[in-house]
Amino acid sequence: MIIPAPGTPDFGRTSPEDPVNGLARRLTLLERDHKALLRDHERLRLRVDELEEAHAWAGPRPDGAGQGNNLHHLIAREFVVLVEQRVQNLARAAARGQPSQDPPEALHRRIGAICRVLFGTAEPSPSALLSAVHRSRLDPLASAAARLCERAQEMRRQRESSVMPASWDFAFTAGAPLDGTWQEPWPSCPAERPGRFVVAPAYLVAEQVYAKQRVHTG
């Protein structure tokens, strides 16, 4: 076997110190470090979000506004969930034909009609809610309608218990572009199209938007 003299390149194998291999190893390490930084950044972002939320939900300030603010955040969150789940489920159940064949606009109009009964100016009642979706007071949906009205009444009482003025805002101009500061399209509706009708009202507290108004566009 021929042993290369010291300092003679061995062209029969790749040296560990080969520049190409060294660059490849360096790129691999950089990629690994980059992924680790991305993971750290995501953890930090989540932590910042938690701290900001904790700050927003901090205890009441001396003027008592903090306690009212916390209450309205709770109401706004529950309101959004109520509309997206229970109100929408009732609107789907009230469809006359097959739910799968229910046009989106018809569904959105029923959701809007239910929201007006629950959060409009008049006191909500099961009979008014069923009438809004064209059902009789003896309809099998009557029990679900009654439960929805009870929850809406409780949310209204909670709102009125605060010193901060709050309201569900249905104000709307048909055919106008959406104002992103307090309006957004209902999911599946294109944001670039003008608004046609309100699906769910905004929840405003001391002129601040706690839940945006959601609109059917087209």
Side-chain angles (χ1 to χ4, degrees):
M1 181 178 68
I2 299 175
I3 301 175
T8 302
D10 183 359
F11 296 103
R13 63 186 177 85
T14 302
S15 168
E17 300 303 321
D18 182 272
V20 176
N21 276 356
L23 181 59
R25 287 198 304 276
R26 182 169 176 76
L27 288 174
T28 300
L29 292 173
L30 287 173
E31 183 180 8
R32 184 186 64 188
D33 292 343
H34 177 65
K35 290 180 178 179
L37 286 172
L38 288 177
R39 289 194 297 269
D40 291 341
H41 177 267
E42 180 63 14
R43 285 195 292 267
L44 180 60
R45 186 188 65 79
L46 292 173
R47 181 55 180 159
V48 169
D49 289 347
E50 291 173 357
L51 290 173
E52 288 180 346
E53 183 172 0
H55 177 71
W57 287 75
R61 296 189 295 272
D63 60 1
Q67 186 174 7
N69 189 53
N70 293 347
L71 172 64
H72 289 297
H73 273 296
L74 285 170
I75 294 173
R77 290 186 179 190
E78 183 175 358
F79 164 65
V80 170
V81 173
L82 190 81
V83 171
E84 292 179 348
Q85 296 182 10
R86 296 176 63 180
V87 171
Q88 186 165 193
N89 287 343
L90 181 64
R92 290 185 184 279
R96 287 295 181 183
Q98 293 293 328
S100 60
Q101 299 174 359
D102 193 28
E105 180 176 341
L107 173 64
H108 298 168
R109 287 192 181 277
R110 286 196 300 276
I111 295 172
I114 293 171
C115 285
R116 284 191 178 275
V117 171
L118 297 178
F119 302 106
T121 56
E123 188 77 9
S125 69
S127 60
L129 195 154
L130 290 169
S131 178
V133 293
H134 308 292
R135 296 281 185 158
S136 73
R137 62 184 182 84
L138 300 178
D139 191 276
L141 295 176
S143 58
R147 289 193 297 270
L148 262 180
C149 289
E150 289 173 4
R151 191 64 206 119
Q153 289 171 338
E154 177 59 27
M155 292 170 69
R156 285 171 172 238
R157 286 191 289 268
Q158 290 175 334
R159 178 200 61 179
E160 292 167 0
S161 70
S162 171
V163 296
M164 300 175 69
S167 63
W168 282 279
D169 195 333
F170 289 87
F172 178 74
T173 302
L178 299 189
D179 182 345
T181 61
W182 71 287
Q183 292 176 310
E184 62 185 4
W186 183 262
S188 78
C189 290
E192 67 276 7
R193 302 297 297 275
R196 293 187 58 195
F197 57 87
V198 174
V199 182
Y203 187 61
L204 307 181
V205 181
E207 300 184 357
Q208 299 297 313
V209 181
Y210 278 48
K212 288 187 176 183
Q213 185 182 89
R214 283 178 284 178
V215 178
H216 179 93
T217 64

